[in-house]
Amino acid sequence: MFVWLTVLLLGCGDAQAAKSDVFYSGFVFLGEHADRKTQYKYSDQIYGIKDSEGLLLVEKELNKRIANIESKNLKLISGRLGQLDSGEGLAMAIALDWEDVTVEKLEDELVKSVYNLHGQVFIFDFVKMEVVACYPFGVRVTDCTNDIPTEERKLGIFRKLYLSDIQGVSFLGALCELLEDMEVKSNASSLAFKVEDVVIEPKAKEFLDRHFADERVQAFKIFIAQQFSSFFAKNLKTSILPYTKGSAIGNKMAGRFANGDVFELKIPDGDYPVTITIRGFKKVKLDENATGQSWAYGSYVRLVVESALGEVVNSKIKNGAVKVVPQGQVNVADSSAFVESLLSLFDKTTKQIELCDSAWLNKCAEGSSTKSQFHALKQKINKY
């Protein structure tokens, strides 16, 4: 099974580039090629929009923004890409890994829609065709309407996130903020961390069976791995290798440039493989009165981080997200609330690896045992 990366080839240059130069290679849709039009329903349409000269608008906007970035650590080059045999070193691809819109009818003539776009910056050695760093970014906006939004409105929201902004929020703007401060370390050991497996326990599978089609369970695992990796990289300011189980062969990610050239990116083995076990989900009513109901959406995981010498972390972790449902609300998106709870758990957990707050660890993890494990993991991360 291959991960097809659809990338625009922007042209070639003859000039020799210094090792510190990073060439922008194009936009990538992560996931299986056959799923692209369903997994990225709106982004796929927007990416195909061209201007009067036949240029792809997303790539045109990306090139313009990249040209204006004043990166502190990288020399970003757009508009041309080094040849595979030219000896030019690092290339950069912008990878989309999640597009989502959740619609919830709160009451008569009040509908809330939440739009998400999430991606990663892949830095790879263009000579060795090997990934050397991955960094996440993403945006979320909320839209309130009188009725269920039409497909045209949904497409319009995503188009603004790509090609302009919504009250200052922009997918490409979030990318540029990341690129301004991003640093690519030459030490290969900085690539040590990688989600190797996502395990779904029986109680969690009951949730998936209710809310996801059978063929989407693997997609859910990929989503979990991508989201944990994103929070890990963002909150701990370190790179983490992309998850490849079920979507790559021999730790190689296959791709195709827009001109038809095929390539494979090698994904190094992780020195510290991470396993995320989804143990289950639970919904509990906290309160009810004349104005509505208050519910806690609990998510439960086990986090395991290993090394050649044994386990560094092996801890149960839980999180509860509170959702207030007004009296008379017609539709409650339980699946969305559980996913929000799980993402919040990943955010808080990766922050606690750095903070090691005893009160939080006692409440949401396994107390002093988790604290000592997180402290040991933090020391390993700080080495790089």
Side-chain angles (χ1 to χ4, degrees), residues 84-131:
L84 293 177
D85 58 356
S86 70
E88 295 180 345
L90 296 179
M92 175 181 73
I94 312 304
L96 180 68
D97 61 24
W98 187 41
E99 170 197 284
D100 181 67
V101 55
T102 300
V103 178
E104 186 175 5
K105 188 170 183 179
L106 302 179
E107 56 187 57
D108 289 342
E109 297 187 354
L110 180 58
V111 177
K112 182 180 77 171
S113 302
V114 180
Y115 297 78
N116 290 280
L117 280 176
H118 189 279
Q120 298 192 48
V121 175
F122 278 135
I123 305 294
F124 58 99
D125 187 311
F126 209 40
V127 176
K128 298 179 180 178
M129 296 308 292
E130 182 173 276
V131 172

Side-chain angles (χ1 to χ4, degrees), residues 351-369:
K351 286 177 178 175
Q352 286 300 324
I353 293 172
E354 176 72 27
L355 299 174
C356 286
D357 177 67
S358 295
W360 187 90
L361 293 169
N362 287 331
K363 179 181 178 182
C364 300
E366 297 185 74
S368 59
S369 174

